[in-house]
């Protein structure tokens, strides 16, 4: 029996909602953003989950896909999580991007968000192409509340601080 699943505006979900951030290896083009939003809405609306959950998503900087899940009544299962990962993998293939590697570094350079492999980013720190004032994205956070308080942070407050 497919249970009640509702896709809501992200602001309607509680701060305790779980999040998963999928950083893209490149910025999506405007027409891709529109297509991907429709695909995400379709996926979330038809996601076959065994418990009552509310979901949402955010698309930030034309680069980050963020799933929000309020599973406070009952946690979603591993197979349901696998289904969402399979969906993300299908986007990776279709748009020729990397979305599942959350260890690579996303950072701000002025108004632009950049994405670098960790090895390349280490070289940039060594060459002083990025500084201790650089804003990085902490894509390992787990809740909606952390998204507002601990996602865009100074590099010295992140796991990358050891590079300095």
């Amino acid at each position: 029996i497919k249970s009640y699943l509702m896709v809501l505006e992200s602001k309607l979900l509680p701060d305790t909602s779980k999040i998963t951030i999928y950083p893209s290896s490149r910025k999506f083009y405007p027409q891709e953003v529109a297509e991907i939003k429709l695909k995400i809405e379709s996926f979330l609306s038809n996601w076959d989950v065994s418990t009552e959950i509310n979901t949402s998503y955010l698309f930030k900087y034309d680069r980050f896909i963020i799933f929000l899940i309020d599973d406070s009544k009952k946690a979603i299962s591993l197979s349901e999580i696998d289904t969402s990962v399979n969906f993300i993998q299908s986007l990776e293939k279709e748009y020729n991007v990397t979305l599942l590697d959350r260890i690579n570094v996303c950072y701000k350079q002025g108004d632009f968000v950049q994405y670098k492999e960790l090895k390349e980013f280490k070289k940039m720190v060594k060459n002083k192409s990025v500084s201790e004032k650089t804003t990085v994205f902490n894509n390992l956070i787990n809740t909606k509340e952390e998204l507002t308080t601990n996602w865009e942070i100074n590099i010295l407050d992140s796991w990358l601080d050891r590079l300095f």
Side-chain angles (χ1 to χ4, degrees):
I1 297 173
K2 183 172 177 171
S3 73
Y4 186 68
L5 174 124
M6 199 157 173
V7 180
L8 302 171
E9 284 185 58
S10 62
K11 66 183 178 186
L12 297 176
L13 293 179
D15 285 346
T16 55
S17 297
K18 307 250 184 337
I19 63 166
T20 305
I21 301 172
Y22 301 103
S24 175
S25 52
R26 68 166 172 85
K27 185 176 178 180
F28 290 105
Y29 300 110
Q31 68 273 19
E32 291 175 325
V33 171
E35 289 172 12
I36 292 169
K37 284 182 175 181
L38 288 173
K39 289 174 196 261
I40 291 170
E41 289 168 15
S42 176
F43 169 75
L44 291 177
S45 296
N46 296 297
W47 193 7
D48 191 11
V49 293
S50 62
T51 187
E52 184 176 326
I53 63 170
N54 292 323
T55 63
S56 190
Y57 76 96
L58 296 167
F59 208 108
K60 297 278 199 175
Y61 298 104
D62 295 336
R63 185 180 286 269
F64 299 94
I65 297 171
I66 304 169
F67 281 2
L68 297 91
I69 300 170
D70 174 16
D71 64 349
S72 54
K73 294 185 176 159
K74 184 177 179 211
I76 63 172
S77 71
L78 287 176
S79 68
E80 291 160 352
I81 293 169
D82 284 347
T83 303
S84 69
V85 170
N86 289 338
F87 169 73
I88 294 297
Q89 287 173 324
S90 73
L91 293 178
E92 284 183 317
K93 286 184 186 114
E94 184 172 352
Y95 294 96
N96 195 25
V97 295
T98 301
L99 291 165
L100 289 168
D101 189 345
R102 296 188 298 162
I103 300 300
N104 287 333
V105 182
C106 295
Y107 64 99
K108 279 189 171 175
Q109 199 165 37
D111 290 336
F112 299 98
V113 175
Q114 305 293 334
Y115 176 100
K116 295 286 182 200
E117 290 184 11
L118 183 57
K119 191 165 107 177
E120 184 68 27
F121 191 78
K122 286 179 181 178
K123 287 181 194 171
M124 292 176 66
V125 169
K126 188 177 178 185
N127 298 334
K128 300 192 187 310
S129 299
V130 292
S131 74
E132 295 177 351
K133 294 182 180 179
T134 300
T135 297
V136 295
F137 291 86
N138 178 9
N139 295 321
L140 303 175
I141 57 175
N142 296 306
T143 65
K144 179 183 170 190
E145 179 179 26
E146 289 177 303
L147 188 62
T148 56
T149 61
N150 203 25
W151 184 43
E152 296 181 45
I153 58 175
N154 180 278
I155 195 167
L156 296 179
D157 295 327
S158 77
W159 63 275
L160 297 162
D161 68 336
R162 68 182 193 276
L163 300 178
F164 288 93

